[in-house]
Amino acid sequence: MADPPAKPQWPQGGPLPQRFSSNYARYRERGGLLDVAEDARAYAGADKVLDKERFVFLSLAFDQIAKEGLTGDVVELGVYQGQTATILARNARRLGRTAWLMDTFTGFDAKDFVGADAGRGPQFTDTSLEAVRARVGEENTHYIKGFFPDTAAHLPPDGRYCLVHIDVDLYAPILSALTFFYPRMVPGGFIVVHDYGSLAWEGADKAVDVFFADKPECPIQMPDSAGSIVVRRQRPASAATWMQAKQVVPVGEWRPTANGQAASVLGEGWFRPEPWGVWGVGPSHVIGIVPDDPGLENFALDLDVHAVVQPSRPTLLVDVLVNGEPAAQWRFSEAENRGVRTLTVGRPAAVPATVELRPQSVLTPRDLNPASNDTRPLGVALHRLRVR
Ligand SMILES: C[S@@+](CC[C@H](N)C(=O)[O-])C[C@H]1O[C@@H](n2cnc3c(N)ncnc32)[C@H](O)[C@@H]1O
C-alpha cells in the first residue's frame, strides 16, 4: 500500500485548515487537487513576508473551482515579484487552464495617480518580467507586460475566467479591471480584489464599493493581512446549478461509490464514503441523476446494493420511489442480500431524476453486536450505479 501523503507544514509554523493538515490523506484520497506542501514552498520562495491566510483562501478557491467543475482561465492583474502568481499558475496547470499574468513589471504607472491616489509616487519597481518568469514558470502561463487597461487587448477576445485576482492597489486600474473582467467571468467565477479594508489603499475600497453598488453580488471580506474581498459571479436562474451539472453521469458505465467517487449524485441519507462504497443511513437515501444523453427520455438505472439481514431480522423491505412516486418494493433476505437491482426512470424536464430508497427498518452495528460502539442506523448500502 502506498504511504499516505505527508502532512503539509506551513513554512513559518502554525495550523493549516484540516483538509490540508490532519485530514490531508483523506483529502488526497478523495481527489483533492492541491499539493499543499509544494504550493506553500513555491509561494514562500525566498520571501520573508508570508501571508498564510491569503495563501489559504486562494488555495481553497481552487478547491471549490475543481469541485464545482467551473470552466475558464485564471488571471492575475498585479504580479510584482510573482508571489501570489505561484498559486494561480500552479492551480491553472492542474486544472489544464491558462494563467494570464499581467503587470507593467516596472511598478505603478503615473497615469493612475488620480483621485484618491493623487500625489502617490513610484512603487514596486524592484522586479522584472524575467525574474517572475523564472519564479513562476512557463507551462500554461502567459505574461502580459504593460499598462492595464491597454493590455486587455492582448487577452483572447472570447476569454472567460474562473478566477481573477486583482492586486493593483490603486482606484483607477481596480475599477477598469472590474469593468473588464466582471462580464467575462463564468457563472460562479471568483473575483478577488486585494487591499480592500487595508486602510492603506483607499482606492481599493472605493473602486469595489462603486462597482458593486448596482450589481446583484455582494463582496465578502477575507481575513488576509492587507484584506481582500471575494465576489462570486452570479449564475443565471435558468442555468443548471453546479450540483445539477455534477449529477450528469455517462450512459453505460458503472460508477463506483467508493471513496466519494459518486458523491455528487448522492443526496440526503448517505454516510461518509468508505473504501468499498457507501452506507445509506436513516429512513431515506436519495440519489439524483442526469444521464449525459439528452435524447434519453426513459432510462434504466442499475444499483448494486446490499442490506444487512440476520436471524433477528431475516428480511428487509425497502420502498423505492422514482421522481417522488412509488415505483417498487425491494426485499432483501439472506439468499438475496447483495446484487444489482434495476429501476426504470423517466427523465424530468428541468431537474435531475430522483430515486429514493426507504428501508422499512434500520439496524445499527450495535444492534448486531452489543460490544460495538457504532450506532449508525444502517439501511441500504450502495456499491456502484449505472445508467443505460
Ligand atoms: C502589490 S503589487 C502585486 C503583488 C502581488 N500580487 C503579490 O502578492 O505577489 C501591485 C502590482 O500592481 C502593478 N500595477 C499597478 N497598476 C497597474 C496598471 N495600471 N497596469 C499594470 N500593472 C499595474 C504594479 O506594477 C505592481 O507590481
Side-chain angles (χ1 to χ4, degrees), residues 12 38 47 53 64 90 107 121 171 228 241 246 320 322:
Q12 295 173 335
E38 273 305 308
D47 292 343
E53 282 66 34
Q64 196 65 17
R90 290 174 66 81
Y171 176 81
S228 296
T241 67
K246 299 279 273 194
V320 182
V322 172

Side-chain angles (χ1 to χ4, degrees), residues 27 30 69 139 155 172 195 253 261 273 289 294-295 303 353:
Y27 167 81
R30 301 220 181 141
E139 192 193 335
L155 289 165
D195 298 305
E253 283 173 28
Q261 293 175 75
I289 299 266
L303 300 175

Side-chain angles (χ1 to χ4, degrees), residues 54 78-80 83-84 103-104 107 112 124 146-148 167-169:
R54 196 176 191 197
V79 178
Y80 183 39
Q83 189 185 59
T84 44
D103 202 303
T104 60
D112 286 332
F124 305 110
F147 175 74
F148 190 90
D167 185 9
V168 279
D169 305 349

Side-chain angles (χ1 to χ4, degrees), residues 206-290:
K206 178 68 80 193
V208 168
D209 292 347
V210 165
F211 185 80
F212 284 103
D214 63 353
K215 305 290 182 298
E217 299 90 350
C218 304
I220 300 172
Q221 296 201 63
M222 293 291 116
D224 55 321
S225 169
S228 296
I229 58 96
V230 62
V231 165
R232 297 199 60 188
R233 184 77 165 90
Q234 203 182 53
R235 64 177 179 82
S238 58
T241 67
W242 65 270
M243 269 307 283
Q244 288 168 354
K246 299 279 273 194
Q247 286 170 324
V248 176
V249 295
V251 174
E253 283 173 28
W254 278 108
R255 173 167 295 194
T257 56
N259 292 323
Q261 293 175 75
S264 57
V265 301
L266 300 182
E268 287 180 26
W270 298 97
F271 193 65
R272 278 201 302 271
E274 300 180 50
W276 56 266
V278 61
W279 268 113
V281 284
S284 156
H285 325 320
V286 179
I287 299 169
I289 299 266
V290 181

